[in-house]
Amino acid sequence: MFAGKSYDPDSFGFVVYDISRLFSLERERKIVAAGLELTAFESRTLVHVARYQPARQSVLAESLNIEAMTLSGYLDRLENRGLLRREADPDDRRAKLIFLNDTAVPVLDELKRIAKETIADASQALPPEEWQRFLNNLLTVRAHLRQLNQENRKS
């Protein structure tokens, strides 16, 4: 018997992954339609820079759950477009801090609009009160998993 047949595609992990993947595909389609000329990962990178700036490349890579060298390519492309810049970290000259440029603001505004539109589209699957309950439950699960992760890091 093939071991893969014993996995349930409707289990929690598969469903959460599929929702994330499908949401990202829809968001990426809208990014292309808006003419932003960003890949999904470049847009994620830009949003994470906005969230954590100034941040070291290693911190951004960890927040995106990717390798620092992979992130470096995205940062190179975003820097070449004038959306961000790297500066030497005054506390560690070997490290670079990542900052947004003012030119990133309208791009981030459009990414935010696209995200809201995609969320609104997804939320139509449920009545508003059920959607809010669903979101609250996801936030509770996320908080619990963060707590477990922190506890396991300590041990």
Side-chain angles (χ1 to χ4, degrees):
M1 180 171 123
F2 176 62
K5 297 227 182 227
S6 64
Y7 290 100
D8 178 6
D10 292 334
S11 67
F12 175 78
F14 280 115
V15 170
V16 169
Y17 176 80
D18 280 347
I19 289 170
S20 175
R21 181 180 60 81
L22 292 167
F23 182 84
S24 292
L25 285 171
E26 182 61 16
R27 194 172 133 269
E28 185 173 6
R29 184 189 65 75
K30 291 176 187 215
I31 288 169
V32 169
L36 291 180
E37 298 181 13
L38 292 171
T39 68
F41 285 105
E42 289 168 353
S43 68
R44 281 183 63 212
T45 300
L46 194 62
V47 169
H48 276 255
V49 170
R51 182 178 182 188
Y52 295 108
Q53 78 165 336
R56 288 187 180 172
Q57 186 168 321
S58 59
V59 172
L60 288 172
E62 185 177 325
S63 76
L64 288 160
N65 197 29
I66 60 175
E67 296 295 320
M69 288 306 297
T70 302
L71 175 62
S72 183
Y74 302 142
L75 293 174
D76 287 346
R77 288 188 291 279
L78 293 168
E79 189 172 31
N80 287 339
R81 287 194 52 195
L83 298 173
L84 57 81
R85 67 187 182 284
R86 297 173 178 144
E87 295 180 9
D89 185 336
D91 297 328
D92 182 352
R93 302 298 280 172
R94 297 167 297 167
K96 297 285 185 188
L97 294 175
I98 315 300
F99 295 88
L100 288 178
N101 288 334
D102 291 341
T103 54
V105 173
V107 175
L108 286 164
D109 288 345
E110 184 64 5
L111 288 173
K112 187 175 187 177
R113 185 198 64 75
I114 289 168
K116 284 182 177 182
E117 181 181 306
T118 308
I119 292 165
D121 291 347
S123 71
Q124 291 177 11
L126 298 170
E129 63 280 354
E130 285 186 43
W131 177 261
Q132 191 57 54
R133 190 170 23 260
F134 170 69
L135 182 56
N136 290 341
N137 287 334
L138 287 175
L139 293 169
T140 299
V141 170
R142 181 181 70 180
H144 178 69
L145 289 171
R146 278 186 176 157
Q147 181 181 351
L148 288 174
N149 187 268
Q150 289 174 349
E151 289 171 3
N152 289 327
R153 279 186 174 180
K154 293 176 186 174
S155 55

